[in-house]
């Protein structure tokens, strides 16, 4: 008597997490950065089952928006940031929750870079 073939065991689905990312942008023809800007920095929240996926998804979304991501720095998940001693205000936690609920990339802050020296 032969045994029926075993069904493959489905891989355990890992939950999405939200990562805090700082993305440095360069200029591109399709960006909407202000005239005189040499680039920008974006603080954003991106979802992924791990940090690498969150970075890949964020970069893909930014490229479809016509901007040129140059460098990405991850500050980790909410839990990792709290363990590191970061104070996370409610507004930031709300944006993280929204990113998770919508499985989205949320831009929380943008800073434009210029070559001009600041006047004191």
């Amino acid at each position: 008597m032969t045994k029926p073939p075993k069904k493959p065991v489905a891989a355990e689905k890992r939950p999405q997490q939200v990562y805090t990312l700082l993305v440095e942008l360069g200029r591109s023809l399709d960006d909407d950065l202000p005239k005189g800007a040499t680039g920008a920095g974006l603080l954003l929240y991106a979802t992924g089952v791990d940090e690498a996926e969150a970075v890949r998804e964020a970069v893909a979304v930014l490229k479809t928006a016509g901007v040129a991501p140059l460098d990405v720095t991850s500050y980790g998940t909410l839990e990792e940031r709290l363990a590191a001693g970061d104070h996370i205000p409610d507004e930031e936690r709300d944006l993280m929750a929204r990113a998770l609920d919508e499985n989205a990339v949320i831009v929380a802050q943008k800073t434009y870079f210029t070559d001009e020296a600041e006047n004191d």
Side-chain angles (χ1 to χ4, degrees), residues 9-60:
V9 178
E12 184 178 321
K13 187 171 181 176
R14 298 185 296 173
Q16 293 280 318
Q17 299 182 78
V18 178
Y19 291 83
T20 301
L21 305 176
L22 180 61
V23 181
E24 182 180 343
L25 303 178
R27 292 303 311 244
S28 73
L29 294 176
D30 296 329
D31 68 35
D32 64 351
L33 300 180
K35 185 177 180 173
T38 58
L42 301 178
L43 176 65
L44 52 87
Y45 305 109
T47 58
V49 296
D50 58 24
E51 183 178 78
E53 182 182 67
V55 169
R56 282 192 306 273
E57 292 296 322
V59 168

Side-chain angles (χ1 to χ4, degrees), residues 49-116:
V49 296
D50 58 24
E51 183 178 78
E53 182 182 67
V55 169
R56 282 192 306 273
E57 292 296 322
V59 168
V61 166
L62 292 171
K63 285 183 176 181
T64 63
V67 296
L70 299 175
D71 188 54
V72 180
T73 303
S74 175
Y75 292 93
T77 63
L78 174 62
E79 294 77 18
E80 292 168 340
R81 292 183 58 200
L82 291 171
D86 289 356
H87 169 71
I88 315 294
D90 289 340
E91 298 83 19
E92 200 171 339
R93 290 173 190 251
D94 291 344
L95 289 172
M96 290 176 182
R98 180 177 166 205
L100 187 60
D101 290 344
E102 297 176 10
N103 190 26
V105 175
I106 305 289
V107 176
Q109 181 179 349
K110 61 184 167 183
T111 303
Y112 299 115
F113 304 141
T114 66
D115 286 335
E116 298 174 17

